[in-house]
Amino acid sequence: MTAPDPVFGLCGVGLRFRDTLALDGCDLEIGAGERVAVIGPSGAGKSSLIALLNGTLAPTEGAVTALGCDLARARAGAARRVRRQIGTIHQHFDLVEELRVVHNVNAGRLGHWSFWRAAVSLLRPQGVHDVRGALERVGIPEKIEARTSTLSGGQKQRVAVARVLVQQPRAILADEPIASLDPRLGAEVIELLTGVSAELGTTLVTSLHDVSMALGRFERIVALRGGRIVFDRPPSAVSPGDVDDLYAAEPAS
Amino acid sequence: MTETIRPPSAPVELREAAAGVPGGAGRRARRLWGGALLVVVLASVAATGWTQGPLLRPEGLGLVGDFLAAAVAPSTDAAFLEILAAAAVTTVAYAALGTVLSLVLGLVGGVLSSEVWWLEGRHGAARRRGAVGWATVRGLLVLPRAIHEVIWGLVLLSILGLTPLVAVLAIGIPFGAVTAKVFAELLDETARRPFRAALAAGSPRTTALLYALMPAAWSDLLSYGFYRFECAIRSAAILGLIGAGGLGFQLALSLQTLNYREVWSVLYALILLSAATDLWSSAVRRRRAAGGRPGDRVIGGSLVAGAVLVVGSLWWVQLDLSVLTAADTWRQVLLIVEDAWPPGLGTTTVAELVQAALITVAMSVVAIVIAFAGASALAFPGSAAGARTPGRWLVVIVTRAVLVVLRALPPPVWALLFLFVMAPGLLPGALALGVYTLGVLGRLMTESVENLDRRPREAMEAQGVARPVVFCYAVVPAAAPRFVAFGLYRWEVTIRETVVVGVVGAGGLGLLLNEQLAAFAYAAALTTLAAIVVLTALVDVTSAGLRRSLR
């Protein structure tokens, strides 16, 4: 069911931090417009997987391609051109607390701006129209001038989503986007992300610890455990037994 | 990946000093260090006898009497006060321009010597190249930092001649290198995740730096700039002593003509100026530590005042930058470099060089022992924690006033005063440095006593334990490791300042260097300079080792 030219491809990927193996022998292809949820227990390698896809981490074995480019081996300029087409949302929002919301939203398109345009924008915000549109979409247009540190957790995650919206990426990655939010806010943020993805045909890859959310709103489930892909199938083919096995305690050794 | 805590606004150097605080590592290592320390201190004290002729000059006592008597009757002659005011403005202008230069150099150097700039988000070959770049820049910044501003002043004076630019560069270059180190640490302590996120979204490094790291770090840099200005005032005054103009120059003139009433006017002006910048800078830093931003009234107002000060200073000193591009200047640089390379000894003997180096070390050790003993004794009476009765408050105020006066006069000024009654040599230099450092160390220790956790003390008092016992059991053990850490940190500063009191005649490598430069013996001067740098590095390493063994 994947398209011939995948948006993301992992081929025999391993990732080692000193003496721990975060990922091991992972093969995966994700096609254009797919909505994929990555599930698995803590420490399974979900965050590492997301970080590999946007080039924050480089694999220690195998190769990762994003939009046809091997980010770990590409020249800096080429990698940057690919990375600005990938938007990422993080569990801890990763906003600059000291800046006003408008700048944090604009941070999504810094990859398209020259240094001077970016510098000027800090004094006189550029492209305010798009920023307001994105903030309206996430439901907090009135916060455009607010200092980011004054926002609540839910509002900050909305700003992070707005940042990705103005970036207009071809793929959206989300690393535990709702782990820091309460269930209602979490559902709203997932609704927003899947809605945007469906509307614009953007590929969406989200790591989630909330299995019911993953099963209910995504069309493909990738399960990780101990750095390996345990299964990769549509939610309709995931049985409660699969989930229990996935989250079962490690046998004491 | 935990979020880094926002750094408090205290000067980073001090946090570094306090970092070597508690713990219970290697008793053996500690005993070894302790033994070595004792030997060094005893040897240094023994070395204070190294002077030609008698230590005290009784004929100087009369002069001291005259000098002290003049304290109550400083010169208020209108013409002199006019000169004095102009000199004070010159000193402030040098300090302001030097600080601005150091901030610019520190901003650029700080980014280029930070780990986050070179390594964050890089893998493989790019990361290895980054590591090389990082090490190179940090290596380049060691030298300007190791050389004291007075030495920079002497060297620049030989190249540029008497121009205000000498003072500005002599302050700006070493302060810039220190600021770069501090700013690099600020950047590296700032939360990395937003920077990483910006890079992941394809932003260029410079832009990511501007958006994700600068907003958090720049207000700390500015507040650090105010602290630097406080230091620059003292440095600008000292630079006057070597001829750069301003209050120091006026002081030297009045001293040479033995006009003590004028001397006191200059000293009072210096104390006032120093206390005023102290207050200003600590007000800004307190606001910043309490979470104040540039929008805050005190901080915002100070920024505007700072900008006005800089523009006014530019107008006042009429900085002539053309000397930097003049062919004559570069011809002079070339001549000096030709003379200086290869470094040699000239008429100096190896024995003289070694003796000067030993005197320098001994001077710094004796000075820090004096300062440490005095400051530890004054820190407790000077602490306002738990002061409730008026009598206790009086003690606090008097103690603090003494500390302020001690640190208001820069070490070379103290040295000149001690040289009235003592033969030039190790002891007057050590006393001068010790007295000044006592003022600085006393303030640091007082603050640290005030910041002690008061719960253990209160718990003991609630148990009905007598006050002196509480002091021995709850206060001293908590304060002592911090005191030692501060003392070692100040020792590193003192070895650098030893050179400065040397310049005014107290002996050691500073005196030697000054004589060599005056005799145009550049090859020998280069050797002495290298000896100073090596000695400074040795003291830094020893102090760091000592602090580690305390951890």
Side-chain angles (χ1 to χ4, degrees), chain B residues 81 155 173 202 212 228 245-247 306 336 366 396 406 419 422 457 476:
Chain B
L81 286 187
V155 171
I173 293 171
R228 274 286 129 197
L247 282 178
I336 292 180
V366 175
V396 170
L406 291 183
L419 284 171
M422 297 171 122
R457 200 178 65 213
V476 172

Side-chain angles (χ1 to χ4, degrees), chain B residues 100-361:
Chain B
V100 167
L101 178 62
S102 77
L103 285 181
V104 173
L105 292 177
L107 183 70
V108 178
V111 168
L112 290 181
S113 57
S114 71
E115 183 193 355
V116 60
W117 171 259
W118 289 103
L119 299 186
E120 186 60 51
R122 286 194 163 141
H123 321 289
R127 193 181 173 86
R128 282 192 293 278
R129 277 198 303 275
V132 172
W134 187 33
T136 311
V137 177
R138 277 188 306 166
L140 284 177
L141 285 175
V142 168
L143 208 60
R145 213 170 45 227
I147 298 175
H148 193 278
E149 50 267 28
V150 165
I151 301 183
W152 275 108
L154 288 173
V155 171
L156 288 166
L157 212 56
S158 324
I159 297 171
L160 298 174
L162 261 181
T163 148
L165 201 56
V166 167
V168 175
L169 289 177
I171 294 172
I173 293 171
F175 279 26
V178 175
T179 308
K181 182 168 184 245
V182 169
F183 189 50
E185 279 163 19
L186 279 174
L187 284 176
D188 284 339
E189 283 177 30
T190 302
R192 300 268 174 104
R193 291 234 213 83
F195 184 69
R196 226 175 278 151
L199 291 179
S203 151
R205 277 188 112 70
T206 39
T207 315
L209 176 86
L210 187 68
Y211 269 74
L213 296 177
M214 289 303 284
W218 89 284
S219 43
D220 280 322
L221 177 69
L222 282 181
S223 88
Y224 182 71
F226 280 96
Y227 168 70
R228 274 286 129 197
F229 179 61
E230 184 186 327
C231 307
I233 288 279
R234 294 192 184 101
S235 295
I238 298 175
L239 284 166
L241 290 176
I242 62 166
L247 282 178
F249 184 61
Q250 211 48 55
L251 184 70
L253 280 184
S254 302
L255 267 174
Q256 274 160 18
T257 54
L258 300 182
N259 191 333
Y260 297 141
R261 297 180 56 202
E262 282 184 13
V263 169
W264 276 102
S265 307
V266 180
L267 291 182
Y268 286 136
L270 203 54
I271 292 172
L272 273 179
L273 206 55
S274 179
T277 42
D278 247 50
L279 280 178
W280 187 19
S281 133
S282 58
V284 170
R285 281 182 291 130
R286 248 201 321 278
R287 277 301 174 105
R288 176 67 200 123
R293 312 234 351 131
D296 177 287
R297 216 166 350 124
V298 173
I299 298 178
S302 299
L303 286 178
V304 173
V308 170
L309 187 63
V310 170
V311 173
S313 303
L314 274 174
W315 170 79
W316 176 264
V317 301
Q318 301 284 328
L319 221 49
D320 179 18
L321 292 176
S322 67
V323 283
L324 284 181
T325 51
D328 269 1
T329 306
W330 293 103
R331 212 169 302 132
Q332 179 71 2
V333 170
L334 216 64
L335 275 177
I336 292 180
V337 169
E338 263 173 20
D339 277 359
W341 197 263
L345 280 169
T347 54
T348 316
T349 64
V350 177
E352 276 173 341
L353 187 68
V354 170
Q355 197 194 16
L358 288 178
I359 287 180
T360 298
V361 174

Side-chain angles (χ1 to χ4, degrees), chain A residues 10 36 63 120 159 181 183 211:
Chain A
L10 269 70
V36 182
V120 167
V159 173
L181 307 179
V211 178

Side-chain angles (χ1 to χ4, degrees), chain B residues 80-93:
Chain B
F80 179 70
L81 286 187
E82 209 170 296
I83 296 172
L84 188 61
V89 174
T90 302
T91 295
V92 172

Side-chain angles (χ1 to χ4, degrees), chain A residues 54-58 80 83-84 86 90 92 94-96 98-99 103 110-111 113 115 118-119 121-122 147 167, chain B residues 1 3 6 121 123 193-194 196-208 210-213 215-216 293:
Chain A
N54 68 20
T56 298
L57 294 176
R80 217 166 54 222
R83 293 177 95 183
R84 65 193 186 201
I86 303 171
H90 310 263
H92 299 287
D94 293 8
L95 303 172
V96 184
E98 289 80 2
L99 289 179
H103 298 307
L110 291 180
W113 284 0
F115 175 77
S121 181
L122 280 177
R147 189 173 293 287
Q167 191 182 347
Chain B
M1 282 183 259
E3 287 289 323
R6 293 286 319 121
H123 321 289
R193 291 234 213 83
R196 226 175 278 151
L199 291 179
S203 151
R205 277 188 112 70
T206 39
T207 315
L210 187 68
Y211 269 74
L213 296 177
R293 312 234 351 131

